[in-house]
Amino acid sequence: MAKFERIVILTGAGISAESGIDTFRDAGGLWERHRVEDVATPEGFARNPDLVLGFYDARRAALESVEPNAAHRALARLEAEFTGDLLLVTQNVDNLHERGGSKDVLHMHGELSSALCTSCEMRSPLDVPLLDRPKCPVCQAPTLRPDVVWFGEMPYRMERIYEALGTCDLFVSIGTSGAVYPAAGFVQEALMNGARTLELNLEPSEGSRFFTESRHGRAGEIVPQWVEEVLEG
Ligand code: OAD
């Protein structure tokens, strides 16, 4: 790999698959067992809050029995050793990047371990079931919802992401199907701004043609390999 100075990395559910977290669109994935409209939209939450709170409580509880894998750890090593600028953006709501050692992770779709108060709009760390209707630590109202971005809502920190996409010299997409915008459009944005683009995924994603280079395989193998190459220069 040529030498790069400003790298933006986007990760998706595929990077956590080998840790035992279900992806969304693969066979047996989350969206085969749950209707998106029911559990991942503001309308679904308004219709049946208990169903939605229970769905995210179960996903948060499941994090306790999984561990980060070699791909998460490799990206943490890259953060620690890369001398240029690095922005790690994840669509994942799990905490495996952090537990793998990454210090600075931009969760554009929110986090399971955070709650958002629908009364005062403040965020707070979450480690109890939302179905128990805990009080917001800021305003004391029992009106917490998962701090995750649902379909129809605006992903977090888009300004920061587009700023980095405008100046990066390498954009890397890892373990994402490229089915959900705006994240699916990041590759074109980076390409348009002159960056090289690299896809590391089990199979070609929907936007595969926009990548200068594609490597297909399991994240736990191909991500550490790529990190090694970047750090060797
Ligand atoms: P998807 O389930 O759509 O895609 C996962 C991708 O990971 C697929 O392309 C798989 O081929 C690939 N994959 C599976 N196992 C892998 C492995 N071991 N190594 C490498 N790649 C692997 O998940 P996302 O693209 O993350 O949003 O989904 C994007 C968004 O759609 C999610 O953030 C979520 C979902 O609906 C919201 O809920 C708002």
Side-chain angles (χ1 to χ4, degrees):
M1 291 240 54
K3 215 153 172 44
F4 297 103
E5 285 174 6
R6 285 176 302 279
I7 303 178
V8 176
I9 299 173
L10 171 71
T11 65
I15 198 169
S16 296
E18 288 157 68
S19 292
I21 298 185
D22 290 333
T23 62
F24 296 95
R25 296 175 181 78
D26 292 307
L30 271 182
W31 295 156
E32 259 181 21
R33 283 172 283 131
H34 303 271
R35 281 163 36 104
V36 173
E37 311 84 295
D38 289 342
V39 296
T41 62
E43 295 78 16
F45 183 53
R47 252 192 329 267
N48 190 343
D50 281 8
L51 175 81
V52 176
L53 297 179
F55 174 73
Y56 291 94
D57 281 347
R59 289 180 68 194
R60 184 172 351 90
L63 292 181
E64 285 170 27
S65 53
V66 298
E67 295 294 335
N69 64 54
H72 298 105
R73 289 193 295 274
L75 294 186
R77 178 183 167 214
L78 184 67
E79 180 188 60
E81 297 180 22
F82 182 60
T83 52
D85 289 343
L86 178 72
L87 178 66
L88 174 58
V89 180
T90 187
Q91 298 165 88
N92 298 345
V93 292
D94 67 50
N95 54 11
L96 293 182
H97 280 304
E98 287 85 351
R99 286 166 56 195
S102 287
K103 306 252 178 298
D104 198 5
V105 187
L106 194 164
H107 283 270
M108 64 176 289
H109 288 167
E111 294 175 71
L112 289 169
S113 50
S114 173
L116 175 65
C117 179
T118 58
S119 303
C120 72
E121 296 182 1
M122 295 301 284
R123 299 198 161 85
S124 53
L126 177 68
D127 56 7
V128 294
L130 285 169
L131 266 178
D132 292 349
R133 300 293 196 282
K135 288 184 180 154
C136 168
V138 181
C139 74
Q140 306 305 318
T143 50
L144 297 179
R145 60 162 266 188
D147 187 12
V148 299
V149 175
W150 289 326
F151 287 92
E153 296 182 321
M154 181 62 89
Y156 296 150
R157 304 190 53 202
M158 295 306 292
E159 212 174 302
R160 169 77 188 98
I161 297 172
Y162 278 107
E163 179 192 287
L165 289 171
T167 57
C168 66
D169 45 21
L170 177 65
F171 171 77
V172 189
S173 171
I174 303 174
T176 176
S177 60
V180 175
Y181 284 83
F186 291 172
V187 59
Q188 291 170 70
E189 183 74 18
L191 196 63
M192 219 166 58
N193 287 307
R196 276 181 67 85
T197 54
L198 168 67
E199 167 173 75
L200 303 175
N201 205 46
L202 199 56
E203 60 194 4
S205 68
E206 289 187 23
S208 215
R209 66 189 179 283
F210 298 114
F211 289 93
T212 339
E213 183 185 347
S214 290
R215 300 183 189 181
H216 300 134
R218 289 156 62 94
E221 287 160 21
I222 61 179
V223 175
Q225 232 166 47
W226 169 70
V227 166
E228 187 71 40
E229 286 171 32
V230 172
L231 292 177
E232 277 175 2

